[in-house]
Structures are given as C-alpha cells and as structure tokens.
Amino acid sequence: MSDIIQLLPDHVANQIAAGEVVQRPASVVKELLENAIDANATEIKLIIKDAGKTLVQVIDNGKGMSVTDARLSFERHATSKIKAAEDLFQLNTKGFRGEALASIAAIAHVELKTKQDEDDLGTAIVIEGSEVKSQEVSVTPTGSSVSVKHLFFNIPARRNFLKSDTVELRHITDEFHRVALAHPNIAFAFYHNGSDLFNVPQENYRQRVVHIFGTKTNEKLVPVEEETEVLKISGFVGKPNFSKKTKSEQFFFVNQRFIKSPYLNHAIKSAFEGLLKDGYHPSYFLNLTVDPKSIDINIHPTKTEIKFDDEHTLYAILRSAVKHSLGQFNIAPVLDFEHQSSFNTPYDYKDKKASTPAIEVDRSFNPFAEDSGVKQKSASHNTGFKSAPTSSWESLYVGLESKGNNSPSDFSQVTFESESKNESIFTDSSIETRKTTFQLQQKYIVSTLKSGMLVIDQNRAHQRILYENFLKHITIKEATSQQLLFPLELHYTPNETKIIDDLKADLEHTGFVFSELNTKEITITGVPVGVPESEVSIIFEQLISDVENDVPDTNFSTTDLLAKSMAKSLAIKNGQSLNSTEQEHMVNSLFACKEPNVSPTNRPTFITMAVDDIEKKFM
C-alpha cells in the first residue's frame, strides 16, 4: 500500500491557521493593534473602510523594523517576543505565537511600511495570499503602517459568512474599546469611512473610561483599590442603579490583557447581591495585576482565556474588594455605629452617670373593688398626670351609650363603605350576571368554549397583540404620538446611541419624536400613545439589549426586531391583576390577530382543554 501522509504546502497551512486566528475583520484589528503596542508606540491610528472588508489599516509611531525583520515577520512562528518555552510564563507582551501576520497575509492583500528611528529610509513590502509581490526601499516616518485589503479574497466562502457592515463595525468597536481601555497611556484615533469615531489622548484610567463611554459615565463610577501579595486590583465598578440588561460594560484586564472569565464575573455579581434588579448586570472596568508565572495564557489563539494557579483566592479577594468599595462609598447599606447620628448620646447627658430608675407603686389600687369611690380616691391620691390617660381613653367612648333605636351603637343600621356579599352558590342563574372569563393566579385568563375550556397566557398574548400593532404602524407609517410636557433626556454610550440612530426612522413611525440625537444625549419630546414616560428608558434598554444579542444582519428585518422588542417591554407582566372588561378585551384582541396561536418568539399563547379530557380526569 502506497504512503498517504504528506506535508501540507506553506500557503495551505497558513490558510488553516488563519481560520483560527482571523475569524472576521475585528480579529485583524486586534492583532495589528497589539503588535503596535508591543512596538512601544505612544500614538496609534486605526483606519477602517466598509467595516474592514475593504481596508483595515493601523499606523503607529513605535520602534519599527529593520529590512530583515520586515521580511521575516510574515513567516510562520517568527516572533521577537519569546525565544524559549520558559518565556511563556514570563510574558510582558501581547503576542508570542508568531502566527498573526502570516495568517493575515495568507487570506488578504497586505502592505507593510516600516522604518527604525536610526535609519534614513524604510522598507515597503506587498504580499498577496502569502506570495511576496514586491519589496523595496520607501520614504516613511518612524514606526510601522500595516494595510490589510480585500480580506478573504481567496476564500469566498468565509467572506460570505461575514455579517452586515453594522454588525462587523460593532465587533471592531468592541475590540478597539478593549485595547484602548487596557492602555490609557497611549493615544488612540479611530476612523471609519473618513469619519472620526474616537480620538482619545493619553490620560488617566477614569478619563479613558469617560471618553469611551460618554460623559455621563463619570457619575456612576465607584473606585476599587486593593493590593495584596497575590493580587493587585484597580479600576471602577458601576453603581447598581446604572446597571444594564447587557454585558457590554464588563471588562477584566489581567496584566493589561483583556480576558473573559465567568468565574471572576460571578465574584462581582455576588458582591452586588441584593442590589441589582432581576435580569440586570453590573458594569465594571477592573485591572488585575498578578505574577506572570501564576497564569497560563497559551490556551486559545485569541488569548482571551487564562488559567490561574489559585482561582479561589482571586475570587475571594475580588469579591471582598468590590463589596468594600460599595460599602465605603455608601452604595451598599451598612450599619456603622460611629456614623449613625440616631445612636449618639445627647450632649447634656454625655458626662452623667446612669442612675437607678425609681419605682412608683399605687398602694391603694384594688382590681377587685366594685365601688367607684376607690377609683376616685386613687385618682385624687396621686398626682394629676396619672388621671389624664384615664380621661383620654374614656373620652373615646363618650356618646356611645344606648339612647333608643336611633343610637349609633345600633350596628344594624350602620352603613359601611363596602360590604361583602356572601351569596349562595345556588343563586338563581337568571338573576346573576354571567362572567365569561376569570383570571387564574394573575397569570392566566380562563374562558369557556363550546367544546371545553380555553387558558391564555396573558403576557404572551399581549406581546402578540402589541407586536402586530407595532408592525402595522411601522409599515403604514401613520402612528400617533402624545407630546411630553417636559422633554425627556436619555444618556447612553456612543455605541448604544449609534444603535438608536440606526433605528430612528422606525422608532418615529411607532410614535416617538426626537428633538435631538447625538453621541452625548437623546432628547425625546413625544412618545407613542399609551406608553408611559417612565417606560421609555426601559424600552430603549431592552431594544439595545435585543440588537446586541440578536445582531441582525442584512437578511434580518430591523423592523421586526423593533416590534418584538417594544412588545416585550410594554406587555403586561405576569402577576398583574385584570378586571373582567380587560380580560375580555385581551381575549377578543388576541383572536383578532393574524397569528394568535404563538407569541412573537414562537411560543404558544393559549391551550385548550376539551370536555372529554376534563371528564377523563374524574374517571
């Protein structure tokens, strides 16, 4: 039998590696930004066109590369970060695999321009699909400029799997946030299709967080500082009343590297226990500094997962540090006897010694005496203040003596505000008003059918009713709105504001009226009829959460997503009591819908029970 194992060509091996390292344009952004940081750059520019599908360019003022290094950097497993396996446990750089540039060059057109400070001229290299097209001398400033064009040009299947520009840009923005937050000592600029999205100077950590997530973020930050032999923690957590339905503002950095850790995230949530509403997540921006020897980064090509030597200790320290900060800044309720003014001793009694309380005994009191004179004697014998309570409580009953049939004490003639009617279950049905529906546990509406019984889930049914109403208003574009007496101002991060801006036209068709919508604030002067002003922020939070979680692409209807999200926010919740009229209206409205059987999320809205099925239960 002939030999069947053979070595793969380099360009094939590079394309396979690229499948792990480069999943989308955001992956390229991450790798290039981290390379710029490792080159000791103090200013980095990120230039994007068509959400990275046409161009991803990173320009830095780092130390640059020599002619030999520039050519060698595109070879697999070529790196300046480590020299031996032991160096993996003493990493102070972002990259160390030596795969990024080789993988990117295998699936795109790459142009590199680089120059070291001591050289007069730099080097320009052009590579297409792992093949070097040209290498020549170039006039370029100190540092490096890497341009990645036509990503996945030679793998059309991977290119077809990319989402819409809006979704891909959101992923790129997330990667930019992670790198920019980890390095506040570096100035970053971010441009997309010629427009300036972010421009942050060198600053402290608090200023960097505020620059990226908006000026309103400043008032919701609570500082966290803790230093032990094992772990050093610095950064901020968000106040509980500013918690979000999404996890978009949760950042862990270990030795200036963004990581994802469900275990440490649970430590933060447990510190916020009792302070958050159901379904909401705390915001945090925390930097953890540990010994590089105590962590293993070489787990996944994206390097966002880390193994710790002693996770339990880190969990305990992190939880207590956050809990301490929340209590120190009066966020969490604490009982401190030194600061509670109600427990302070009055100034006049501060230096007085406690005295034994005097006991007074009424020796003339006889509970078995029938003569009223005893009472009078005891009252006159004692001081005046003892008779006052007697007269006060007795005065409550003055005038209640029986004075004939017209006396108020004749309770048969007293009329109460509401009287309970205890009717017999055998009351004549012709006299009793027939009730067609009733509510079960404030969750289900039960009604009768000719064939049996109908049970409706009130929350899902109302979602279906609202969903079809919103779809109709958005499509016909004739929704009515009610004007607010005072404009409503909402503040979100630039990323979240961009989501609202993309949906602005559809929101206006549902009845919202915007007077201002920019990266700093959203001002609303009108809301759809029937929508309370207090519900507007909840609707927008739910909408942002749905968009970020569902990430709709070009084949997905944003109109449908908007209608679903608003219906979910405004539908009556389980546990809400409905009167008979509201119950009947709910039933009639549900069966007037085009698809009454399922909710907008394709879950059943009602069930039926036939009489035969009920009879079987009694057999």
Side-chain angles (χ1 to χ4, degrees):
M1 188 173 179
S2 60
D3 300 331
I4 58 174
I5 296 177
Q6 57 184 352
L7 288 172
L8 290 174
D10 284 343
H11 68 279
V12 176
N14 286 340
Q15 287 187 1
I16 294 171
E20 286 187 337
V21 179
V22 184
Q23 299 170 352
R24 58 192 341 144
S27 307
V28 177
V29 170
K30 173 183 179 293
E31 298 294 344
L32 296 184
L33 287 177
E34 290 183 348
N35 281 345
I37 292 168
D38 287 340
N40 299 327
T42 57
E43 293 180 5
I44 300 175
K45 291 181 181 178
L46 172 63
I47 301 170
I48 303 292
K49 285 186 180 178
D50 300 331
K53 297 173 185 175
T54 303
L55 172 69
V56 174
Q57 184 177 8
V58 173
I59 304 171
D60 67 71
N61 64 345
K63 55 189 177 184
M65 289 182 280
S66 65
V67 178
T68 306
D69 287 346
R71 177 66 187 82
L72 197 59
S73 64
F74 289 97
E75 298 296 328
R76 289 190 70 201
H77 308 303
T79 180
S80 62
K81 316 298 171 60
I82 62 173
K83 294 182 180 178
E86 292 77 17
D87 295 340
L88 288 172
F89 298 98
Q90 295 177 349
L91 286 172
N92 294 309
T93 57
K94 301 293 181 187
F96 53 86
R97 290 173 175 271
E99 288 181 333
L101 285 179
S103 299
I104 294 169
I107 53 172
H109 296 176
V110 181
E111 182 180 352
L112 168 66
K113 291 183 179 180
T114 183
K115 183 181 86 71
Q116 294 180 322
D117 191 35
E118 60 271 16
D119 296 336
D120 294 329
L121 295 173
T123 306
I125 298 177
V126 177
I127 298 179
E128 296 179 4
S130 297
E131 184 181 346
V132 179
K133 295 294 183 181
S134 67
Q135 178 175 346
E136 54 190 25
V137 176
S138 173
V139 178
T140 183
T142 301
S144 301
S145 170
V146 184
S147 301
V148 179
K149 304 174 184 176
H150 311 301
L151 193 64
F152 299 124
F153 79 100
N154 53 354
I155 312 179
R158 290 294 298 273
R159 191 174 179 87
N160 292 336
F161 277 108
L162 294 179
K163 303 292 184 181
S164 65
D165 287 0
T166 305
V167 176
E168 294 299 339
L169 180 62
R170 194 177 305 134
H171 285 288
I172 291 173
T173 306
D174 289 342
E175 291 294 347
F176 177 82
H177 286 170
R178 293 167 182 175
V179 175
L181 284 172
H183 300 276
N185 58 323
I186 300 176
F188 288 91
F190 181 11
Y191 304 93
H192 180 248
N193 289 344
S195 61
D196 187 352
L197 296 185
F198 290 95
N199 201 333
V200 290
Q202 296 178 357
E203 54 200 345
N204 62 40
Y205 193 54
R206 189 183 194 108
Q207 290 171 329
R208 178 57 57 88
V209 173
V210 171
H211 258 130
I212 290 178
F213 292 100
T215 53
K216 274 289 179 180
T217 312
N218 189 39
E219 67 186 61
K220 52 182 167 179
L221 296 179
V222 178
V224 179
E225 295 288 339
E226 189 65 52
E227 186 169 359
T228 66
E229 295 179 357
V230 181
L231 172 68
K232 179 182 178 182
I233 305 171
S234 65
F236 304 94
V237 294
K239 294 179 181 177
N241 53 323
F242 292 101
S243 57
K244 293 180 170 286
K245 285 197 169 185
T246 64
K247 298 181 180 180
S248 58
E249 292 186 3
Q250 295 186 344
F251 294 89
F252 272 127
F253 300 100
V254 175
N255 295 353
Q256 293 188 314
R257 183 191 302 275
F258 173 80
I259 67 156
K260 296 177 181 177
S261 174
Y263 186 68
L264 296 182
N265 178 65
H266 188 271
I268 304 292
K269 290 199 74 172
S270 63
F272 276 86
E273 188 176 2
L275 300 175
L276 296 176
K277 293 183 285 186
D278 289 339
Y280 283 77
H281 305 278
S283 301
Y284 54 80
F285 313 89
L286 296 174
N287 296 296
L288 312 181
T289 305
V290 298
D291 185 356
K293 296 179 182 178
S294 66
I295 58 175
D296 184 7
I297 305 168
N298 192 23
I299 297 175
H300 193 271
T302 59
K303 299 185 280 287
T304 56
E305 298 176 18
I306 288 182
K307 278 190 177 179
F308 297 93
D309 274 356
D310 190 358
E311 278 191 326
H312 299 291
T313 303
L314 299 184
Y315 182 99
I317 295 173
L318 186 60
R319 180 180 179 275
S320 62
V322 173
K323 209 168 184 64
H324 174 71
S325 291
L326 293 174
Q328 185 180 11
F329 291 92
N330 295 327
I331 307 301
V334 292
L335 186 62
D336 192 344
F337 289 93
E338 294 181 2
H339 292 87
Q340 288 285 346
S341 59
S342 59
F343 297 131
N344 291 343
T345 306
Y347 183 77
D348 294 340
Y349 293 89
K350 187 176 180 183
D351 298 323
K352 288 185 179 181
K353 293 184 178 180
S355 58
T356 306
I359 301 175
E360 294 183 10
V361 179
D362 185 3
R363 298 183 183 279
S364 62
F365 175 70
N366 183 3
F368 302 102
E370 297 180 357
D371 189 9
S372 60
V374 178
K375 285 185 182 180
Q376 295 174 358
K377 183 180 177 182
S378 64
S380 61
H381 175 72
N382 294 304
T383 54
F385 73 89
K386 286 198 174 182
S387 61
T390 306
S391 61
S392 63
W393 69 261
E394 286 181 345
S395 65
L396 296 173
Y397 298 91
V398 174
L400 293 181
E401 292 82 2
S402 177
K403 295 180 181 178
N405 294 332
N406 296 327
S407 172
S409 61
D410 187 4
F411 291 102
S412 62
Q413 297 181 4
V414 175
T415 304
F416 296 95
E417 281 190 34
S418 61
E419 296 181 354
S420 60
K421 296 181 180 180
N422 299 321
E423 296 182 357
S424 170
I425 59 172
F426 301 104
T427 305
D428 188 0
S429 60
S430 61
I431 300 173
E432 183 185 7
T433 304
R434 184 170 178 269
K435 188 175 180 181
T436 58
T437 62
F438 70 91
Q439 197 175 20
L440 179 64
Q441 294 187 342
Q442 296 184 341
K443 184 176 182 180
Y444 302 104
I445 299 173
V446 181
S447 183
T448 55
L449 295 170
K450 288 182 179 179
S451 59
M453 186 171 64
L454 175 73
V455 183
I456 299 173
D457 186 307
Q458 64 185 33
N459 176 258
R460 295 182 188 176
H462 201 208
Q463 281 191 41
R464 164 55 62 179
I465 296 165
L466 292 175
Y467 170 70
E468 294 200 3
N469 283 339
F470 284 131
L471 273 184
K472 185 172 92 173
H473 289 154
I474 295 171
T475 308
I476 300 174
K477 304 178 182 178
E478 290 182 357
T480 55
S481 63
Q482 55 188 10
Q483 296 300 305
L484 299 176
L485 185 60
F486 299 102
L488 181 64
E489 291 187 2
L490 301 174
H491 299 272
Y492 295 103
T493 66
N495 224 20
E496 294 169 340
T497 306
K498 181 69 168 59
I499 293 173
I500 300 297
D501 191 28
D502 293 339
L503 298 171
K504 181 182 177 183
D506 291 332
L507 285 168
E508 287 175 339
H509 294 154
T510 62
F512 284 101
V513 179
F514 298 89
S515 65
E516 192 169 354
L517 202 163
N518 52 47
T519 54
K520 293 184 178 179
E521 65 178 5
I522 298 173
T523 306
I524 299 172
T525 57
V527 296
V529 174
V531 175
E533 184 179 341
S534 59
E535 294 282 330
V536 174
S537 61
I538 298 174
I539 292 171
F540 277 50
E541 282 183 15
Q542 183 67 54
L543 179 61
I544 292 168
S545 171
D546 290 341
V547 171
E548 289 183 343
N549 292 332
D550 292 344
V551 284
D553 54 21
T554 50
N555 300 321
F556 193 93
S557 171
T558 54
T559 303
D560 184 71
L561 175 68
L562 174 60
K564 282 181 182 176
S565 180
M566 290 184 63
K568 190 194 305 181
S569 301
L570 294 173
I572 60 171
K573 304 298 185 284
N574 292 329
Q576 185 172 337
S577 179
L578 302 176
N579 59 38
S580 300
T581 307
E582 291 170 336
Q583 293 170 25
E584 290 181 12
H585 180 70
M586 178 81 73
V587 175
N588 296 333
S589 299
L590 175 63
F591 289 101
C593 293
K594 292 182 179 179
E595 293 184 19
N597 298 329
V598 292
S599 70
T601 53
N602 289 323
R603 303 177 74 181
T605 56
F606 66 85
I607 61 170
T608 57
M609 292 184 68
V611 175
D612 295 339
D613 295 333
I614 298 175
E615 288 178 349
K616 288 177 183 177
K617 300 289 183 182
F618 291 94
M619 288 182 178

